[in-house]
């Protein structure tokens, strides 16, 4: 790994290439405008210096009007173009493609814990396959951290008490810095790790070679039963509660007329503040689990509920 300080980190993801293109584009546009203004400044300083015989009368009306309209329109279109360019990259960066490899990230003072779909765990390390979309579902056990991989141009805050998500598609095999970009206490500067991008076959082999544990969804399923969730949410239950099969990602109609998408944040809120967003047609009888579950348990339950979607599709 390159341990030195480099002003331009390698670009190792699709997003990094797009961000670099915008950065270079802005640099070229600003440079061109700077040059143009500086040149005009020099020309006018020389041409209209004191004592020169250059004409100083009014410009013809059409030049004053057309030039004014021309440069105003050009500046407007340039600004709109830059906005469209940057916004489209940003929107794309905010929408993970379906079927992305989902990795859970758990941050704490001062380490990164990551967990792969097959149950493999890592500390201050993350192995990912090249060319595949990887979605990170992240939470913190204590304070705000920020997941930062300069080579991917990727930075996403990780907050206690909620899930934040981001995604990337790595393009270059190699090992890259993972840093914490939010001051989080004494050892903030040491809260770093390495992201290793491997060829997909290599990743499969690596993941299979990790010590086997129950996967997240299987652990979540056990919790779902032991916490009593299944008593009401199972299909055969006598208590009237929404079935969770296939719920993940679906649009839900609430009793107060609003609709929400059942994403990770919604499911988390439904577990911790069940009275807030009650599904239409159901009574607000679910007790809150706030204070009874830690972040790891919430992640496991979430993984289980997400897996119900996959099971339904099969
Ligand atoms: Cu974690 Cu800074």
């Amino acid at each position: 790994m390159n341990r030195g300080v480099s002003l331009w980190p390698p670009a190792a993801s699709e997003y990094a290439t797009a961000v670099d293109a915008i950065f270079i584009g802005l640099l070229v546009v600003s440079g061109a405008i700077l040059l143009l203004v500086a040149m005009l400044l020099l020309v006018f300083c020389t041409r209209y210096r004191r004592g020169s015989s250059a004409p100083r009368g009014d410009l013809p009306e059409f030049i004053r009007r057309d030039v004014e309209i021309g440069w105003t329109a050009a500046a407007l279109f340039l600004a709109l173009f830059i906005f469209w360019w940057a916004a489209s990259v940003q929107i794309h960066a905010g929408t993970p493609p379906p079927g992305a490899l989902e990795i859970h990230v758990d941050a704490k003072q001062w380490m990164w814990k990551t967990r792969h779909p097959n149950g493999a765990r890592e500390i201050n390390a993350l192995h990912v396959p090249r060319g595949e979309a990887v979605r990170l579902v992240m939470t913190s056990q204590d304070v705000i951290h920020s997941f930062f991989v300069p080579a991917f141009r990727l930075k996403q805050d990780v907050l206690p008490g909620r899930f934040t998500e981001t995604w990337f598609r790595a393009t270059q095999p190699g090992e890259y810095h993972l840093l914490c970009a939010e001051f989080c206490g004494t050892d903030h500067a040491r809260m770093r790790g390495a992201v290793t991008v491997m060829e997909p076959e290599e990743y499969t082999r690596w993941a299979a070679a990790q010590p086997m544990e129950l996967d997240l969804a299987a652990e979540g399923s056990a919790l779902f039963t032991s916490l009593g969730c299944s008593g009401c949410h199972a299909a055969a239950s006598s208590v009237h509660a929404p079935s969770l099969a296939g719920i993940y990602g679906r649009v839900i109609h609430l009793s107060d007329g609003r609709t929400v998408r059942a994403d990770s944040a919604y499911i988390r809120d439904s577990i911790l503040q069940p009275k807030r967003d009650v599904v239409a047609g159901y009574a607000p009888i679910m007790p809150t689990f706030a204070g009874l579950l830690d972040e790891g348990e919430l992640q496991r339950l979430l993984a289980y509920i997400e897996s119900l979607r996959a099971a339904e599709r099969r």
Side-chain angles (χ1 to χ4, degrees):
M1 192 196 297
N2 172 18
R3 292 263 173 210
V5 174
S6 71
L7 291 177
W8 201 298
S13 74
E14 275 179 1
Y15 182 60
T17 316
V19 167
D20 284 3
I22 294 175
F23 180 76
I24 293 168
L26 284 176
L27 201 64
V28 168
V29 168
S30 327
I33 293 174
L34 179 76
L35 259 178
L36 181 72
V37 171
M39 256 170 46
L40 288 175
L41 203 66
L42 269 177
V43 167
F44 289 137
C45 283
T46 324
R47 188 168 152 88
Y48 298 107
R49 69 191 180 279
R50 199 205 294 196
S52 85
S53 58
R56 286 173 161 81
D58 278 346
L59 286 167
E61 172 62 22
F62 80 91
I63 290 196
R64 281 195 291 179
R65 193 192 53 218
D66 294 0
V67 168
E68 189 75 18
I69 292 174
W71 81 256
T72 306
L76 178 69
F77 280 112
L78 187 65
L80 283 178
F81 169 73
I82 290 171
F83 174 77
W84 167 82
W85 189 13
S88 60
V89 167
Q90 201 55 47
I91 289 167
H92 181 67
T95 356
L101 182 73
E102 185 175 312
I103 293 180
H104 287 251
V105 176
D106 198 0
K108 56 178 273 197
Q109 288 167 322
W110 288 274
M111 61 168 73
W112 297 104
K113 296 196 280 184
T114 58
R115 195 157 169 166
H116 295 254
N118 74 342
R121 290 172 197 254
E122 304 184 75
I123 289 178
N124 291 338
L126 175 60
H127 287 72
V128 293
R130 184 186 61 81
E132 261 178 56
V134 175
R135 186 159 73 98
L136 302 176
V137 177
M138 308 193 286
T139 190
S140 163
Q141 292 185 15
D142 35 50
V143 298
I144 302 178
H145 303 272
S146 188
F147 189 93
F148 181 31
V149 183
F152 296 168
R153 313 291 185 265
L154 182 81
K155 191 189 279 173
Q156 172 63 54
D157 278 6
V158 181
L159 297 114
R162 60 182 277 196
F163 292 115
T164 52
E165 294 189 13
T166 186
W167 76 280
F168 61 86
R169 196 191 302 272
T171 51
Q172 302 289 330
E175 206 181 320
Y176 306 101
H177 288 296
L178 160 62
L179 306 169
C180 179
E182 179 70 39
F183 182 67
C184 55
T186 319
D187 278 344
H188 155 72
R190 289 208 207 134
M191 187 170 165
R192 21 173 222 193
V195 178
T196 308
V197 179
M198 314 165 100
E199 293 299 338
E201 319 81 68
E202 238 184 296
Y203 170 78
T204 314
R205 239 176 293 134
W206 172 88
Q210 298 310 300
M212 270 300 148
E213 293 180 53
L214 273 181
D215 66 27
L216 269 187
E219 288 181 11
S221 169
L223 261 179
F224 193 77
T225 309
S226 66
L227 290 168
C229 316
S230 55
C232 300
H233 287 285
S237 149
S238 60
V239 179
H240 195 47
S243 157
L244 301 182
I247 196 179
Y248 188 78
R250 200 189 273 166
V251 172
I252 307 287
H253 295 272
L254 300 179
S255 52
D256 58 4
R258 285 177 300 135
T259 56
V260 289
R261 187 166 291 280
D263 55 8
S264 53
Y266 169 78
I267 289 169
R268 177 194 188 90
D269 286 349
S270 299
I271 297 170
L272 300 180
Q273 307 168 41
K275 305 265 186 298
R276 208 179 75 180
D277 295 325
V278 177
V279 179
Y282 292 91
I285 50 171
M286 172 161 160
T288 172
F289 283 81
L292 300 175
L293 300 172
D294 66 27
E295 288 302 330
E297 288 171 325
L298 277 166
Q299 276 186 337
R300 271 166 248 161
L301 282 174
L302 177 71
Y304 170 64
I305 291 167
E306 276 184 49
S307 74
L308 295 173
R309 167 184 65 163
E312 194 200 41
R313 277 199 193 145
R314 226 171 276 141

